[in-house]
Amino acid sequence: MKIFLNLFISFFKIGMFSFGGGFAMIPFIQKEVIYANHWVNYNEFLDMIAISQITPGPIAINSATFIGTRVAGPIGGAICTIAVILPSFIVVLSMIMILKKLGKTKLVDTIYSGLRPVVMALILSALVSVGKASIFDLKSIIVAIIAFIIFSRKKMNIMLGMGIAGLIGYLLF
């Protein structure tokens, strides 16, 4: 029973204190599941992120479900999923009620302007963290650069791109 409470608290914190979507949550998830609770090791974490990206749905929810199921079975998966969603649900519901009363004001615009750079920093932090472990030799650097160029300049289907990158990785490594 204690593991369910620990899972709920950890993923509730992740959902409560991270802004900017799934990629911005990666550093928080990493801290909780690897370093604070030792539920997975770093390589398992990277695999979880990869699987969470290619499966349908938001990365944070997929990650929460994956970790919860891995640690405590289907009930653990459900608990983590609910816990990571609940803070956003509460905040969005509260914001809707507040914004209905405030409308478009300078205060609201200022708050959003302050949050944008923080979200960008969290996403860059996730990029650096995952990049350090994923880009480990000249071949992986080349694959990463080619993928970046293709995804940033062309309108390529992400699933197709991931499949091609996986095939290249299989053939090169």
Side-chain angles (χ1 to χ4, degrees):
M1 200 60 157
K2 184 178 178 186
I3 189 65
F4 294 135
L5 182 60
N6 288 344
L7 286 167
F8 183 86
I9 290 169
S10 291
F11 279 92
F12 189 85
K13 286 192 305 188
I14 290 166
M16 185 64 148
F17 296 113
S18 54
F19 296 92
F23 290 107
M25 290 179 159
I26 290 173
F28 293 103
I29 296 170
Q30 179 181 3
K31 180 180 171 252
E32 282 294 316
V33 304
I34 297 174
Y35 305 116
N37 294 296
H38 309 287
W39 289 324
V40 295
N41 64 39
Y42 193 72
N43 287 334
E44 291 169 321
F45 177 76
L46 291 177
D47 291 342
M48 176 202 67
I49 295 299
I51 292 168
S52 295
Q53 288 177 327
I54 63 172
T55 52
I59 190 171
I61 295 170
N62 292 344
S63 300
T65 306
F66 180 89
I67 292 293
T69 303
R70 176 101 194 281
V71 172
I75 294 173
I79 287 171
C80 289
T81 302
I82 291 167
V84 81
I85 293 169
L86 192 58
S88 296
F89 178 76
I90 293 168
V91 168
V92 168
L93 195 59
S94 301
M95 291 298 291
I96 288 170
M97 294 186 324
I98 292 169
L99 289 175
K100 270 188 168 181
K101 291 183 181 182
L102 288 178
K104 183 142 177 90
T105 66
K106 180 73 175 157
L107 173 65
V108 173
D109 289 341
T110 304
I111 290 169
Y112 285 142
S113 295
L115 286 175
R116 281 187 203 112
V118 173
V119 169
M120 191 64 200
L122 289 170
I123 292 170
L124 288 174
S125 171
L127 172 72
V128 169
S129 175
V130 172
K132 280 187 207 175
S134 300
I135 301 173
F136 47 84
D137 64 3
L138 183 59
K139 290 180 204 173
S140 61
I141 291 170
I142 292 168
V143 171
I145 290 170
I146 291 169
F148 177 77
I149 291 169
I150 290 171
F151 285 122
S152 64
R153 300 225 171 125
K154 305 279 183 197
K155 295 291 182 190
M156 178 183 240
N157 180 298
I158 291 175
M159 293 302 291
L160 176 63
M162 299 279 287
I164 291 169
L167 180 63
I168 291 170
Y170 176 75
L171 295 173
L172 290 179
F173 303 100

